[in-house]
Amino acid sequence: MSKHILVGVAWPYANGPLHLGHLAGCYLPADIFSRYHRMAGNHVLMVSGSDQHGTPVTVRAEAEKCSPQEVADRYHASFLESFERLGVQWELFTKTTTENHRNVVQDIFRKLHAKGYLYPATQTMLYDPEVEAFLPDRFVEGTCPHCGFTHARGDQCDSCGRTLDALELKNPRSKRSNATPVPRDTTHLFFKWSAFNDKLEDYVAGKGWWRPNVINFTRRYLKEGLVDSAVTRDMAWGIPVPIEGFTEKAIYVWFEAVIGYLSAAVEWASIQGTPDAWQKWWKDPSAETYYFVGKDNIPFHAIRWPAVLVGLEEGHNLPTNVPANEFLNLEGHAFSTSRNWALWVNEVLDRYDPDPLRFVLTVNAPENNDADFTWHEFLRKNNDELVAAWGNLVQRITTFNNKNFEGKVPVAAPTAEDEAILKSCADTFPAVAELIEACKFKAALGRIFETVREGNRYIDTQEPWKTIKVDRARAATSVATALRLIAGLKVLLTPFLPNTCRKLHEILALPGTSDTAAWSMPELAEGHVLGTPAPLFKKLDDSIVEEERARLGPPPE
């Protein structure tokens, strides 16, 4: 029976292009997960969008001397280009500046206020005396009081992952003027996070199967006790607070952005002409909801967003899973956009095909620990596994078949050995399905490549290029078996390598499209006419390693 699967993916700040760390952190895992579930016959709603509000956008706008909207729209277009080139499929990738998002956010804000979960309180915040303005969290940097990281933001430390109050920072400095900010009082609306501590502990208690990094972080956070905090800000760029007396303030971007998963579903349903359809993913208890984010976003998705949903008291589904990834490093150093130590997605795709990039980021994904992207590993994985193992299997069999059997699937008289390799492939489907559903994408791809290597061993043993000289029927059987194996592997690899699998789908001349193929071994009947063979991957020269390292420049200190 098919299920409704909501896949919410972190909303990127529209203040710069996507880099490989973003892809490894959430966008590729979410795409693999969603593609599999669509192929398995489930109803997937994968949504996200550009986070166009908040201080990161205004910081960039001030630096470029243009409006925040200009910055946000430019990078929204950049995101869409990256996803299209990479092959990431969305039901909807929207943005937080839509009228729909504003309406949904303000409606939820009013409801929470009416229920007593929002209350006014005076708060001491940092004030920049030079620009004469209160500083939103991300306009403040300083030293983390917990780990000593010297570039911690006013809302969070990227090094230890802790959520911070800007007043906690040691040696704070304003990003607007570089002045030392001073504390001043201002009145904001606070959310009663403390009212949900016990309810969330009960909710998390049943989630022991979450990834260790997520469940441990969440339990520790709740054990320390949730503290009420301001969810409004003294700034103009954002969604206006719809409460009398606070209309000149904006709703805190983190409080607003997570509501985007719900507002995007509402927007998608409206676009489809079925305004209430979003409820199938949000209010049907049998639906499943998954949030793909980086580890720095765990508290907002495993704790704060569930608290808001519980507070609404409208029967919204809480997260089924929050499969947050750890961080991806680059050549042994943390990605740093401020220090230009990054690989930008669109620039990398100008030089390399998308599927090798998807492959390397998946087999080396930071699922439970930080991982490292190196150009040497990219070269090795491309040449040894994609070209020499998978690509070579496809190329030598389709080319041999085209030359010796007129490009048609030969008549086969399978033996136990032939049936065994196809059974092995068939058995890979439920094994990989179980791993993908558990969000173990590295293991799933590894399991598929075990079958790829098994297929190569089968062909090396059968040696149809020799057998055809003495036993054409036997050679025909081994080629037909290999073609059916390749067809099965094509389906298995589609969530991971959709672009080359689309090409292979055409080479095999299979019906329909690769993206909509069912999650099962496809039929490849005797006499079926194949398309023209073509290589799936390009072998890379060893020289790219030093070329790319030189392009990066010196690592940050």
Side-chain angles (χ1 to χ4, degrees), residues 8 10 26 54 151 216 252 260 272 278 306 323 364 370 387 410 510 537 554:
C26 58
H151 293 280
N216 292 338
Y252 177 39
Q272 304 307 307
W278 62 271
N364 194 34
D370 288 354
V387 176
L510 292 167
F537 304 99

Side-chain angles (χ1 to χ4, degrees), residues 117-189:
Y117 291 123
L118 291 167
Y119 63 92
T122 299
Q123 180 184 32
T124 302
M125 296 189 70
L126 293 179
Y127 183 87
D128 187 327
E130 290 196 16
V131 298
E132 297 183 339
F134 284 99
L135 294 172
D137 298 334
R138 292 212 172 198
F139 269 111
V140 184
E141 278 192 353
T143 301
C144 175
H146 303 286
C147 71
F149 182 58
T150 56
H151 293 280
R153 301 190 307 266
D155 61 344
Q156 192 170 36
C157 176
D158 284 340
S159 179
C160 67
R162 286 188 181 247
T163 300
L164 301 174
D165 184 308
L167 293 168
E168 296 180 89
L169 292 176
K170 298 178 181 178
N171 304 315
R173 56 189 175 277
S174 169
K175 293 189 70 173
R176 296 190 66 181
S177 67
N178 209 36
T180 300
V182 295
R184 281 195 185 180
D185 288 345
T186 181
T187 301
H188 282 291
L189 286 173

Side-chain angles (χ1 to χ4, degrees), residues 178-446:
N178 209 36
T180 300
V182 295
R184 281 195 185 180
D185 288 345
T186 181
T187 301
H188 282 291
L189 286 173
F190 280 59
F191 187 76
K192 289 185 179 179
W193 302 112
S194 57
F196 299 94
N197 213 106
D198 292 344
K199 292 180 181 179
L200 292 179
E201 284 186 338
D202 292 341
Y203 157 66
V204 171
K207 298 294 186 292
W209 46 272
W210 281 8
R211 287 181 177 172
N213 62 330
V214 179
I215 194 65
N216 292 338
F217 187 98
T218 303
R219 284 172 175 165
R220 185 186 74 194
Y221 205 93
L222 291 171
K223 185 178 181 180
E224 292 175 357
L226 299 184
V227 178
D228 298 353
S229 63
V231 291
T232 58
R233 291 293 185 269
D234 289 299
M235 60 187 304
W237 181 244
I239 293 180
V241 176
I243 305 298
E244 186 176 350
F246 294 86
T247 54
E248 293 186 1
K249 299 177 187 285
I251 298 174
Y252 177 39
V253 67
W254 266 111
F255 192 88
E256 164 226 320
V258 290
I259 298 174
Y261 301 113
L262 177 57
S263 71
V266 171
E267 182 181 352
W268 172 85
S270 177
I271 292 170
Q272 304 307 307
T274 53
D276 296 328
W278 62 271
Q279 297 188 41
K280 295 177 181 177
W281 286 270
W282 282 95
K283 295 195 174 182
D284 184 339
S286 67
E288 298 177 6
T289 58
Y290 297 80
Y291 293 86
F292 287 83
V293 299
K295 69 177 177 181
D296 53 333
N297 291 347
I298 291 173
F300 299 103
H301 293 79
I303 298 173
R304 296 191 182 274
W305 178 225
V308 170
L309 293 173
V310 170
L312 284 174
E313 301 174 351
E314 294 182 356
H316 294 92
N317 292 326
L318 301 185
T320 303
N321 198 354
V322 183
N325 271 0
E326 299 289 297
F327 290 150
L328 181 74
N329 294 322
L330 172 59
E331 296 283 355
H333 300 270
F335 273 80
S336 174
T337 57
S338 62
R339 285 170 276 184
N340 201 33
W341 187 254
L343 289 172
W344 310 109
V345 174
N346 284 335
E347 290 184 8
V348 173
L349 292 177
D350 284 341
R351 302 191 294 276
Y352 303 98
D353 292 333
D355 278 2
L357 186 61
R358 290 178 64 112
F359 180 81
V360 174
L361 291 177
T362 302
V363 297
N364 194 34
E367 289 182 355
N368 294 302
N369 304 98
D370 288 354
D372 194 30
F373 178 92
T374 70
W375 282 108
H376 179 269
E377 190 70 358
F378 178 80
L379 172 79
R380 190 180 70 81
K381 293 291 186 185
N382 180 83
N383 290 354
D384 294 354
E385 299 190 42
L386 291 180
V387 176
W390 172 228
N392 184 51
L393 175 63
V394 173
Q395 182 70 4
R396 60 177 171 165
I397 292 301
T398 54
T399 302
F400 183 83
N401 181 72
N402 192 58
K403 179 180 178 181
N404 294 280
F405 297 101
E406 300 177 333
K408 300 176 183 179
V409 177
V411 175
T415 65
E417 188 175 9
D418 305 316
E419 292 172 349
I421 187 67
L422 293 180
K423 183 180 184 302
S424 177
C425 186
D427 290 345
T428 304
F429 279 83
V432 170
E434 183 178 350
L435 289 168
I436 293 178
E437 289 175 15
C439 300
K440 297 178 180 179
F441 308 110
K442 290 172 63 173
L445 188 52

